[in-house]
Amino acid sequence: MQPLWDKIIKIVPLWIAPNVLTFSGFVMVLVNYFLLTFYDWDYTASGTSPGLIPTWVWLFSAFTTFCAYTLDSIDGKQARRTQSSSPLGELFDHGLDSWATSIFVLSFFSVCSRDNGKTGVSVYTMYLYLSIVLFNFLCSHWEKYNTGVLFLPWGYDLSQVVLIAAYLLTGAVGVEVWHRPFLFGYYITDVLVILLIGFSLFLSFPQTLYNIHRARLKKTLKIGSLYEGLLPLVSPLLLFILLTVWVVLSPGNILAKQPRLFLWMVGVAFSNVVCRVIVCQMSGSRAAPLHAFLAPLAIVVCGAATAALPGAAEEAALALLALGATAAHLHYGVCVGRQLSEHFNIYIFSLKKRVQE
């Protein structure tokens, strides 16, 4: 993709700040997600009502995904062109990526749809799929926390190309293509899930461990002890355990009732956890072992697991958690962005220098 990006970056005006490109790409991801949410709240549209989502929506999804992918790929080039690279830009880029990663996946679920008894993907497979993707993203930044080097596997580029191709294919031939056997009786969604799990277990995660091991042999590790090196994994692991317990023991089968809301909360909570790891990695500070969101989540999970929360109360608790996590994440992003902006005497969305008092 580099030849294409090198041509595109030449037409971007030099007065545009790199963060404008980054944020514009993220906004396009959000617009696409909320558009699909409008037509397909519970992920059943493609499976039970194939014509419910108009063709133009799938084509628009392909367009927004391509634009977001491109803008995310040229923002660094724009920073180097304008000599405006900064820790603020790095955090802004990777922080939004951590959130966009889950949104890309949640949007894709509207293509394959949830299980309708014959075809589609179960909500539990969706949860597993999302968890694996988020774990892969975490591994890259956990590796940088330990080694100081961000190794980006080619799987990210492949995933974006696959997403764009999936939207174009759906727009061209309809969602029915996802509900017909593709190879040896397997559906396309089955093949994608198998490939994702295979790449994660046998390529991505082993590569991360190998890179950390190699840095230890070369004595270039940034972290002095095994305990500190593993700290960034504690909160994500506890988060995954609590969420999985909730999914399994939910008296009202909360994931099946509110899959979009539940998976959105998973993505937002994960993004905030990763953003804090990125800040620690950039500042050379020690990662906190426990994230604040774990406490209210644990209370709700305990209530659900002990049947103290009836169906309606459980859904209300989920809505409050999702709303609270989203508001807290936005507040965190704005506050950190403003602090870095003041510290480095720069604006977030402008190349002009701040006027010091």
Side-chain angles (χ1 to χ4, degrees):
M1 300 296 290
Q2 290 291 346
L4 175 62
W5 297 333
D6 289 337
K7 292 181 180 179
I8 293 177
I9 193 62
K10 291 178 181 178
I11 65 176
V12 178
L14 289 173
W15 54 266
I16 294 182
N19 287 339
V20 172
L21 302 179
T22 307
F23 188 68
S24 298
F26 179 72
V27 168
M28 299 192 81
V29 174
L30 277 180
V31 169
N32 179 54
Y33 172 78
F34 287 122
L35 179 64
L36 288 170
T37 299
F38 174 77
Y39 284 101
D40 184 27
W41 169 256
D42 55 0
Y43 293 117
T44 60
S46 296
T48 58
S49 305
L52 186 60
I53 302 179
T55 299
W56 71 264
V57 172
W58 301 122
L59 299 179
F60 180 76
S61 296
F63 172 74
T64 53
T65 302
F66 173 78
C67 289
Y69 174 40
T70 300
L71 290 170
D72 184 46
S73 302
I74 66 173
D75 53 3
K77 295 179 183 292
Q78 180 71 353
R80 289 184 287 274
R81 285 177 77 212
T82 57
Q83 298 181 346
S84 58
S85 299
S86 69
L88 171 60
E90 179 182 354
L91 178 62
F92 199 78
D93 185 10
H94 297 314
L96 290 181
D97 282 346
S98 70
W99 198 352
T101 298
S102 64
I103 300 175
F104 277 127
V105 178
L106 298 185
S107 297
F108 174 72
F109 288 154
S110 287
V111 174
C112 50
S113 83
R114 65 188 288 183
D115 187 10
N116 60 8
K118 296 180 180 179
T119 60
V121 178
S122 74
V123 291
Y124 304 103
T125 302
M126 290 181 179
Y127 173 64
L128 175 64
Y129 193 107
L130 177 63
S131 299
I132 293 174
V133 171
L134 296 180
F135 174 72
N136 283 336
F137 187 92
L138 171 66
C139 281
S140 294
H141 290 280
W142 173 57
E143 178 184 330
K144 187 176 182 182
Y145 176 85
N146 282 275
T147 66
V149 179
L150 181 62
F151 175 78
L152 294 176
W154 53 265
Y156 167 72
D157 298 276
L158 179 62
S159 67
Q160 296 299 297
V161 174
V162 169
L163 271 178
I164 296 168
Y167 289 133
L168 290 175
L169 178 64
T170 307
V173 302
V175 295
E176 292 81 6
V177 68
W178 300 93
H179 304 292
R180 292 195 294 264
F182 171 66
L183 187 66
F184 302 117
Y186 289 96
Y187 296 86
I188 297 179
T189 49
D190 297 328
V191 175
L192 291 177
V193 170
I194 293 173
L195 289 176
L196 175 67
I197 295 176
F199 283 135
S200 301
L201 295 180
F202 301 107
L203 289 178
S204 180
F205 187 58
Q207 180 70 54
T208 295
L209 294 179
Y210 172 73
N211 290 341
I212 294 176
H213 174 66
R214 188 173 57 180
R216 186 181 71 85
L217 294 178
K218 293 181 178 180
K219 298 182 179 180
T220 58
L221 281 177
K222 302 295 182 181
I223 304 300
S225 67
L226 178 63
Y227 170 74
E228 290 189 12
L230 293 176
L231 273 180
L233 299 181
V234 176
S235 285
L237 179 61
L238 292 176
L239 179 65
F240 176 73
I241 291 175
L242 286 173
L243 291 170
T244 303
V245 170
W246 191 1
V247 168
V248 174
L249 300 181
S250 170
N253 201 358
I254 191 67
L255 183 58
K257 281 189 175 181
Q258 295 291 345
R260 186 174 289 275
L261 196 59
F262 190 92
L263 296 176
W264 170 268
M265 179 194 66
V266 173
V268 173
F270 167 85
S271 177
N272 195 259
V273 169
V274 173
C275 281
R276 294 175 186 273
V277 173
I278 295 173
V279 170
C280 291
Q281 165 261 306
M282 291 172 56
S283 61
S285 56
R286 184 177 180 180
L290 297 177
H291 189 278
F293 181 69
L294 294 172
L297 177 62
I299 294 173
V300 173
V301 171
C302 287
T306 58
L309 287 175
E314 186 180 18
E315 292 187 49
L318 171 62
L320 288 175
L321 277 178
L323 181 62
T326 303
H329 190 39
L330 290 173
H331 178 264
Y332 175 79
V334 170
C335 289
V336 172
R338 291 178 63 182
Q339 289 173 13
L340 289 176
S341 173
E342 294 174 0
H343 179 75
F344 291 106
N345 193 36
I346 56 178
Y347 289 106
I348 298 178
F349 297 114
S350 174
L351 294 175
K352 296 178 180 180
K353 294 291 184 180
R354 296 173 64 97
V355 177
Q356 291 183 322
E357 297 180 357

